[in-house]
Amino acid sequence: MEFRVPGAVAVVAEDGLPVPLGPAKRRSLLAALLLRPNAPVGVERLAGALWDEDPPRRARTVLQGHVSRLRALFAEHGAPAHGVELRTQGQAYALCLPAALLDAHRFEELLARARARAQREPAGAAALLREALAL
């Protein structure tokens, strides 16, 4: 399982196929959670991320519905086996996952490795940068 943030927000299942996330609000919710992986994100902050102006009167209920559907999608595609869990923590949600499953984390890791190699092995650094950019 892989979570992709740069570009279009996406989840790729173990079989390499994209997980159908559904409507834009659900993808926006996932993106907001992936910006702070393994940390609680308050309902108010999530509502602000999903609705540019005033959230609807039932914003909390809509969020709960999207969270419920994400949980079902994750379970259906084997997320628990990969250490992925969407937790409720008081008035917040936290998407807990190993850093290796998030392409943004891998991008930063590859970038750091390329910087460390740049002086002594430019070709190796360039290969790492290409790999990072491919994400």
Side-chain angles (χ1 to χ4, degrees), residues 110-133:
L110 288 165
L111 186 59
R113 289 174 49 205
R115 284 182 179 143
R117 276 190 177 176
Q119 293 298 319
R120 69 182 194 290
E121 190 185 340
L128 289 170
L129 289 172
R130 280 191 296 279
E131 185 179 343
L133 289 173

PDB file of all heavy atoms in Angstrom, residues 110-133:
ATOM      1  N   LEU A 110      15.044  10.527  -0.211  1.00  0.00           N
ATOM      2  CA  LEU A 110      15.884  10.448  -1.410  1.00  0.00           C
ATOM      3  C   LEU A 110      16.639  11.754  -1.644  1.00  0.00           C
ATOM      4  O   LEU A 110      17.816  11.741  -2.022  1.00  0.00           O
ATOM      5  CB  LEU A 110      15.033  10.113  -2.642  1.00  0.00           C
ATOM      6  CG  LEU A 110      14.507   8.678  -2.705  1.00  0.00           C
ATOM      7  CD1 LEU A 110      13.398   8.559  -3.746  1.00  0.00           C
ATOM      8  CD2 LEU A 110      15.635   7.710  -2.995  1.00  0.00           C
ATOM      9  N   LEU A 111      15.994  12.860  -1.402  1.00  0.00           N
ATOM     10  CA  LEU A 111      16.636  14.164  -1.549  1.00  0.00           C
ATOM     11  C   LEU A 111      17.811  14.302  -0.583  1.00  0.00           C
ATOM     12  O   LEU A 111      18.904  14.744  -0.968  1.00  0.00           O
ATOM     13  CB  LEU A 111      15.614  15.274  -1.319  1.00  0.00           C
ATOM     14  CG  LEU A 111      16.066  16.695  -1.575  1.00  0.00           C
ATOM     15  CD1 LEU A 111      16.522  16.884  -3.008  1.00  0.00           C
ATOM     16  CD2 LEU A 111      14.925  17.654  -1.245  1.00  0.00           C
ATOM     17  N   ALA A 112      17.625  13.902   0.655  1.00  0.00           N
ATOM     18  CA  ALA A 112      18.710  13.970   1.644  1.00  0.00           C
ATOM     19  C   ALA A 112      19.872  13.070   1.241  1.00  0.00           C
ATOM     20  O   ALA A 112      21.043  13.458   1.367  1.00  0.00           O
ATOM     21  CB  ALA A 112      18.180  13.579   3.022  1.00  0.00           C
ATOM     22  N   ARG A 113      19.549  11.871   0.756  1.00  0.00           N
ATOM     23  CA  ARG A 113      20.619  10.961   0.316  1.00  0.00           C
ATOM     24  C   ARG A 113      21.368  11.532  -0.886  1.00  0.00           C
ATOM     25  O   ARG A 113      22.588  11.406  -0.976  1.00  0.00           O
ATOM     26  CB  ARG A 113      20.033   9.583  -0.010  1.00  0.00           C
ATOM     27  CG  ARG A 113      19.597   8.837   1.253  1.00  0.00           C
ATOM     28  CD  ARG A 113      18.884   7.531   0.964  1.00  0.00           C
ATOM     29  NE  ARG A 113      19.573   6.684   0.017  1.00  0.00           N
ATOM     30  CZ  ARG A 113      18.970   5.766  -0.737  1.00  0.00           C
ATOM     31  NH1 ARG A 113      17.673   5.578  -0.645  1.00  0.00           N
ATOM     32  NH2 ARG A 113      19.666   5.028  -1.573  1.00  0.00           N
ATOM     33  N   ALA A 114      20.656  12.170  -1.801  1.00  0.00           N
ATOM     34  CA  ALA A 114      21.297  12.777  -2.976  1.00  0.00           C
ATOM     35  C   ALA A 114      22.215  13.913  -2.551  1.00  0.00           C
ATOM     36  O   ALA A 114      23.338  14.038  -3.062  1.00  0.00           O
ATOM     37  CB  ALA A 114      20.242  13.282  -3.957  1.00  0.00           C
ATOM     38  N   ARG A 115      21.763  14.733  -1.625  1.00  0.00           N
ATOM     39  CA  ARG A 115      22.611  15.833  -1.128  1.00  0.00           C
ATOM     40  C   ARG A 115      23.898  15.298  -0.499  1.00  0.00           C
ATOM     41  O   ARG A 115      24.961  15.856  -0.696  1.00  0.00           O
ATOM     42  CB  ARG A 115      21.847  16.664  -0.103  1.00  0.00           C
ATOM     43  CG  ARG A 115      20.835  17.576  -0.715  1.00  0.00           C
ATOM     44  CD  ARG A 115      20.148  18.402   0.343  1.00  0.00           C
ATOM     45  NE  ARG A 115      19.187  19.291  -0.267  1.00  0.00           N
ATOM     46  CZ  ARG A 115      18.025  19.607   0.265  1.00  0.00           C
ATOM     47  NH1 ARG A 115      17.669  19.102   1.445  1.00  0.00           N
ATOM     48  NH2 ARG A 115      17.206  20.424  -0.359  1.00  0.00           N
ATOM     49  N   ALA A 116      23.763  14.207   0.257  1.00  0.00           N
ATOM     50  CA  ALA A 116      24.930  13.637   0.923  1.00  0.00           C
ATOM     51  C   ALA A 116      25.927  13.066  -0.086  1.00  0.00           C
ATOM     52  O   ALA A 116      27.134  13.057   0.161  1.00  0.00           O
ATOM     53  CB  ALA A 116      24.487  12.542   1.899  1.00  0.00           C
ATOM     54  N   ARG A 117      25.443  12.613  -1.232  1.00  0.00           N
ATOM     55  CA  ARG A 117      26.310  12.012  -2.249  1.00  0.00           C
ATOM     56  C   ARG A 117      26.847  13.009  -3.270  1.00  0.00           C
ATOM     57  O   ARG A 117      27.765  12.686  -4.016  1.00  0.00           O
ATOM     58  CB  ARG A 117      25.531  10.965  -3.042  1.00  0.00           C
ATOM     59  CG  ARG A 117      25.479   9.633  -2.414  1.00  0.00           C
ATOM     60  CD  ARG A 117      24.906   8.685  -3.438  1.00  0.00           C
ATOM     61  NE  ARG A 117      24.893   7.332  -2.932  1.00  0.00           N
ATOM     62  CZ  ARG A 117      24.375   6.325  -3.574  1.00  0.00           C
ATOM     63  NH1 ARG A 117      23.807   6.521  -4.749  1.00  0.00           N
ATOM     64  NH2 ARG A 117      24.420   5.122  -3.068  1.00  0.00           N
ATOM     65  N   ALA A 118      26.255  14.174  -3.342  1.00  0.00           N
ATOM     66  CA  ALA A 118      26.524  15.112  -4.440  1.00  0.00           C
ATOM     67  C   ALA A 118      28.006  15.393  -4.646  1.00  0.00           C
ATOM     68  O   ALA A 118      28.479  15.427  -5.785  1.00  0.00           O
ATOM     69  CB  ALA A 118      25.763  16.412  -4.212  1.00  0.00           C
ATOM     70  N   GLN A 119      28.768  15.580  -3.599  1.00  0.00           N
ATOM     71  CA  GLN A 119      30.178  15.930  -3.729  1.00  0.00           C
ATOM     72  C   GLN A 119      31.047  14.751  -4.158  1.00  0.00           C
ATOM     73  O   GLN A 119      31.922  14.895  -4.991  1.00  0.00           O
ATOM     74  CB  GLN A 119      30.705  16.504  -2.405  1.00  0.00           C
ATOM     75  CG  GLN A 119      30.102  17.836  -2.040  1.00  0.00           C
ATOM     76  CD  GLN A 119      30.426  18.915  -3.057  1.00  0.00           C
ATOM     77  OE1 GLN A 119      31.547  19.002  -3.547  1.00  0.00           O
ATOM     78  NE2 GLN A 119      29.439  19.720  -3.410  1.00  0.00           N
ATOM     79  N   ARG A 120      30.785  13.593  -3.583  1.00  0.00           N
ATOM     80  CA  ARG A 120      31.678  12.460  -3.840  1.00  0.00           C
ATOM     81  C   ARG A 120      31.219  11.560  -4.984  1.00  0.00           C
ATOM     82  O   ARG A 120      32.020  10.831  -5.550  1.00  0.00           O
ATOM     83  CB  ARG A 120      31.881  11.645  -2.559  1.00  0.00           C
ATOM     84  CG  ARG A 120      30.685  10.889  -2.078  1.00  0.00           C
ATOM     85  CD  ARG A 120      30.994  10.145  -0.765  1.00  0.00           C
ATOM     86  NE  ARG A 120      30.013   9.176  -0.423  1.00  0.00           N
ATOM     87  CZ  ARG A 120      28.779   9.432  -0.022  1.00  0.00           C
ATOM     88  NH1 ARG A 120      28.366  10.657   0.080  1.00  0.00           N
ATOM     89  NH2 ARG A 120      27.955   8.447   0.292  1.00  0.00           N
ATOM     90  N   GLU A 121      29.938  11.581  -5.320  1.00  0.00           N
ATOM     91  CA  GLU A 121      29.430  10.699  -6.365  1.00  0.00           C
ATOM     92  C   GLU A 121      28.261  11.376  -7.099  1.00  0.00           C
ATOM     93  O   GLU A 121      27.096  11.054  -6.886  1.00  0.00           O
ATOM     94  CB  GLU A 121      28.961   9.383  -5.729  1.00  0.00           C
ATOM     95  CG  GLU A 121      28.648   8.318  -6.725  1.00  0.00           C
ATOM     96  CD  GLU A 121      28.075   7.075  -6.041  1.00  0.00           C
ATOM     97  OE1 GLU A 121      28.242   6.869  -4.836  1.00  0.00           O
ATOM     98  OE2 GLU A 121      27.442   6.303  -6.780  1.00  0.00           O
ATOM     99  N   PRO A 122      28.568  12.343  -7.966  1.00  0.00           N
ATOM    100  CA  PRO A 122      27.513  13.106  -8.643  1.00  0.00           C
ATOM    101  C   PRO A 122      26.539  12.246  -9.453  1.00  0.00           C
ATOM    102  O   PRO A 122      25.341  12.519  -9.477  1.00  0.00           O
ATOM    103  CB  PRO A 122      28.277  14.058  -9.564  1.00  0.00           C
ATOM    104  CG  PRO A 122      29.656  14.106  -9.008  1.00  0.00           C
ATOM    105  CD  PRO A 122      29.898  12.803  -8.313  1.00  0.00           C
ATOM    106  N   ALA A 123      27.029  11.201 -10.095  1.00  0.00           N
ATOM    107  CA  ALA A 123      26.143  10.352 -10.898  1.00  0.00           C
ATOM    108  C   ALA A 123      25.132   9.628 -10.004  1.00  0.00           C
ATOM    109  O   ALA A 123      23.957   9.511 -10.351  1.00  0.00           O
ATOM    110  CB  ALA A 123      26.959   9.351 -11.710  1.00  0.00           C
ATOM    111  N   GLY A 124      25.594   9.158  -8.868  1.00  0.00           N
ATOM    112  CA  GLY A 124      24.696   8.493  -7.914  1.00  0.00           C
ATOM    113  C   GLY A 124      23.676   9.470  -7.351  1.00  0.00           C
ATOM    114  O   GLY A 124      22.503   9.125  -7.174  1.00  0.00           O
ATOM    115  N   ALA A 125      24.121  10.693  -7.079  1.00  0.00           N
ATOM    116  CA  ALA A 125      23.203  11.721  -6.585  1.00  0.00           C
ATOM    117  C   ALA A 125      22.148  12.038  -7.638  1.00  0.00           C
ATOM    118  O   ALA A 125      20.955  12.167  -7.326  1.00  0.00           O
ATOM    119  CB  ALA A 125      23.980  12.974  -6.206  1.00  0.00           C
ATOM    120  N   ALA A 126      22.563  12.123  -8.884  1.00  0.00           N
ATOM    121  CA  ALA A 126      21.614  12.408  -9.964  1.00  0.00           C
ATOM    122  C   ALA A 126      20.585  11.284 -10.100  1.00  0.00           C
ATOM    123  O   ALA A 126      19.392  11.543 -10.316  1.00  0.00           O
ATOM    124  CB  ALA A 126      22.355  12.612 -11.275  1.00  0.00           C
ATOM    125  N   ALA A 127      21.012  10.053  -9.943  1.00  0.00           N
ATOM    126  CA  ALA A 127      20.090   8.922 -10.022  1.00  0.00           C
ATOM    127  C   ALA A 127      19.057   8.987  -8.895  1.00  0.00           C
ATOM    128  O   ALA A 127      17.866   8.735  -9.114  1.00  0.00           O
ATOM    129  CB  ALA A 127      20.855   7.602  -9.968  1.00  0.00           C
ATOM    130  N   LEU A 128      19.511   9.348  -7.695  1.00  0.00           N
ATOM    131  CA  LEU A 128      18.585   9.480  -6.569  1.00  0.00           C
ATOM    132  C   LEU A 128      17.594  10.621  -6.804  1.00  0.00           C
ATOM    133  O   LEU A 128      16.406  10.493  -6.482  1.00  0.00           O
ATOM    134  CB  LEU A 128      19.357   9.711  -5.263  1.00  0.00           C
ATOM    135  CG  LEU A 128      20.121   8.510  -4.735  1.00  0.00           C
ATOM    136  CD1 LEU A 128      21.041   8.913  -3.588  1.00  0.00           C
ATOM    137  CD2 LEU A 128      19.161   7.410  -4.298  1.00  0.00           C
ATOM    138  N   LEU A 129      18.068  11.711  -7.382  1.00  0.00           N
ATOM    139  CA  LEU A 129      17.176  12.837  -7.675  1.00  0.00           C
ATOM    140  C   LEU A 129      16.129  12.446  -8.726  1.00  0.00           C
ATOM    141  O   LEU A 129      14.962  12.825  -8.614  1.00  0.00           O
ATOM    142  CB  LEU A 129      17.972  14.055  -8.130  1.00  0.00           C
ATOM    143  CG  LEU A 129      18.792  14.730  -7.037  1.00  0.00           C
ATOM    144  CD1 LEU A 129      19.687  15.805  -7.642  1.00  0.00           C
ATOM    145  CD2 LEU A 129      17.885  15.313  -5.965  1.00  0.00           C
ATOM    146  N   ARG A 130      16.551  11.690  -9.733  1.00  0.00           N
ATOM    147  CA  ARG A 130      15.600  11.223 -10.742  1.00  0.00           C
ATOM    148  C   ARG A 130      14.536  10.326 -10.101  1.00  0.00           C
ATOM    149  O   ARG A 130      13.345  10.417 -10.414  1.00  0.00           O
ATOM    150  CB  ARG A 130      16.315  10.489 -11.870  1.00  0.00           C
ATOM    151  CG  ARG A 130      16.949  11.430 -12.901  1.00  0.00           C
ATOM    152  CD  ARG A 130      17.411  10.697 -14.147  1.00  0.00           C
ATOM    153  NE  ARG A 130      18.477   9.739 -13.886  1.00  0.00           N
ATOM    154  CZ  ARG A 130      19.775  10.056 -13.769  1.00  0.00           C
ATOM    155  NH1 ARG A 130      20.171  11.306 -13.917  1.00  0.00           N
ATOM    156  NH2 ARG A 130      20.675   9.130 -13.532  1.00  0.00           N
ATOM    157  N   GLU A 131      14.981   9.468  -9.217  1.00  0.00           N
ATOM    158  CA  GLU A 131      14.035   8.583  -8.514  1.00  0.00           C
ATOM    159  C   GLU A 131      13.046   9.400  -7.685  1.00  0.00           C
ATOM    160  O   GLU A 131      11.852   9.126  -7.678  1.00  0.00           O
ATOM    161  CB  GLU A 131      14.811   7.606  -7.624  1.00  0.00           C
ATOM    162  CG  GLU A 131      13.952   6.571  -6.954  1.00  0.00           C
ATOM    163  CD  GLU A 131      14.749   5.598  -6.089  1.00  0.00           C
ATOM    164  OE1 GLU A 131      15.990   5.513  -6.243  1.00  0.00           O
ATOM    165  OE2 GLU A 131      14.128   4.930  -5.256  1.00  0.00           O
ATOM    166  N   ALA A 132      13.550  10.418  -6.993  1.00  0.00           N
ATOM    167  CA  ALA A 132      12.691  11.284  -6.194  1.00  0.00           C
ATOM    168  C   ALA A 132      11.684  12.016  -7.072  1.00  0.00           C
ATOM    169  O   ALA A 132      10.483  12.081  -6.754  1.00  0.00           O
ATOM    170  CB  ALA A 132      13.527  12.274  -5.389  1.00  0.00           C
ATOM    171  N   LEU A 133      12.141  12.552  -8.179  1.00  0.00           N
ATOM    172  CA  LEU A 133      11.258  13.291  -9.077  1.00  0.00           C
ATOM    173  C   LEU A 133      10.207  12.386  -9.713  1.00  0.00           C
ATOM    174  O   LEU A 133       9.108  12.843 -10.047  1.00  0.00           O
ATOM    175  CB  LEU A 133      12.063  14.025 -10.137  1.00  0.00           C
ATOM    176  CG  LEU A 133      12.862  15.212  -9.623  1.00  0.00           C
ATOM    177  CD1 LEU A 133      13.767  15.761 -10.720  1.00  0.00           C
ATOM    178  CD2 LEU A 133      11.940  16.292  -9.083  1.00  0.00           C
TER     179      LEU A 133
END
